[in-house]
Amino acid sequence: MRYYGSSLIPVVLLSLGVAPGLSAENSLGARPPGDVFVADQAELIQTESQTRLNGLAKTLLQDADIELLTVTVPSLDGVPIDVRTNTLFDQWRIGRLTKANRGLLLVVAAQEQLVRFEVSYGLEGFFTDAFISYIEREQMVPYFAHHMIGEGVEATVELIARQAFQTVSGKAYDPAAAGPTDIGGYRTG
């Protein structure tokens, strides 16, 4: 866990595998229907953005064989974010809609201001530690620091999609070439 500046924003990063000892109290409920890829339980993402992110996730699934789900929760209720994320990843069987078990889960806990990525083994080569570090440094932390969590989620999903499409097309992702992202009036670069 890392803390940034005076706002003390912890950001928890990449974890692989599934947590043992899953229990019902760690459940976040039923998986959204097959064509819904955003579960905004914390009500952080505007309706228009949810629609756009769902469309982007559908395109990722169809064109890149990557299943991306984004979940926001109001609070973790004392459950560690890694346990909650691993449980959700396992219970919802993220990656099952793909041919090569390629799933990615982004979980944001609003009250705790924590973020967790869960990446299936089929995507390890796409989403390296360096890429996740870039997301942390250049996407999420600036938005969190300005209390723009929903906008940060949107910018992050866009960056993940860009990385996936570039990888599928055979081009390596170069953050410097991508330039800054401008969403919601806050420029991250």
Side-chain angles (χ1 to χ4, degrees):
M1 191 174 300
R2 298 180 186 170
Y3 294 92
Y4 294 91
S6 60
S7 58
L8 297 176
I9 301 172
V11 178
V12 181
L13 293 178
L14 186 65
S15 171
L16 300 171
V18 176
L22 303 176
S23 61
E25 68 267 19
N26 293 331
S27 174
L28 289 175
R31 179 185 170 114
D35 62 345
V36 176
F37 298 93
V38 177
D40 185 24
Q41 298 172 1
E43 300 179 356
L44 297 173
I45 306 170
Q46 295 180 2
T47 303
E48 301 82 29
S49 295
Q50 286 185 42
T51 300
R52 201 169 70 73
L53 293 176
N54 271 312
L56 186 58
K58 287 177 194 176
T59 301
L60 268 176
L61 183 60
Q62 293 169 354
D63 296 349
D65 194 39
I66 295 172
E67 182 181 11
L68 167 64
L69 273 82
T70 303
V71 177
T72 69
V73 295
S75 173
L76 294 169
D77 297 322
V79 177
I81 194 166
D82 60 331
V83 172
R84 183 63 60 97
T85 304
N86 287 333
T87 300
L88 185 60
F89 194 87
D90 184 56
Q91 286 179 347
W92 286 5
R93 296 176 41 221
I94 296 173
R96 71 175 165 83
L97 298 178
T98 69
K99 297 173 187 156
N101 189 30
R102 293 169 27 161
L104 179 65
L105 172 64
L106 170 61
V107 174
V108 176
Q111 180 178 341
E112 296 85 355
Q113 294 187 331
L114 289 171
V115 175
R116 178 77 173 198
F117 289 92
E118 186 67 27
V119 179
S120 69
Y121 291 116
L123 288 177
E124 285 179 350
F126 289 7
F127 300 101
T128 64
D129 290 341
F131 179 69
I132 296 299
S133 176
Y134 176 78
I135 289 174
E136 171 193 55
R137 190 178 60 252
E138 300 297 330
Q139 291 292 118
M140 300 189 125
V141 170
Y143 283 104
F144 276 35
H146 287 82
H147 307 288
M148 299 171 66
I149 298 172
E151 292 87 346
V153 169
E154 186 174 0
T156 298
V157 170
E158 287 176 344
L159 188 58
I160 288 168
R162 192 177 321 143
Q163 163 72 358
F165 286 126
Q166 287 181 347
T167 301
V168 168
S169 70
K171 298 177 184 174
Y173 180 73
D174 178 7
T181 300
D182 186 7
I183 294 179
Y186 178 71
R187 195 163 179 87
T188 63

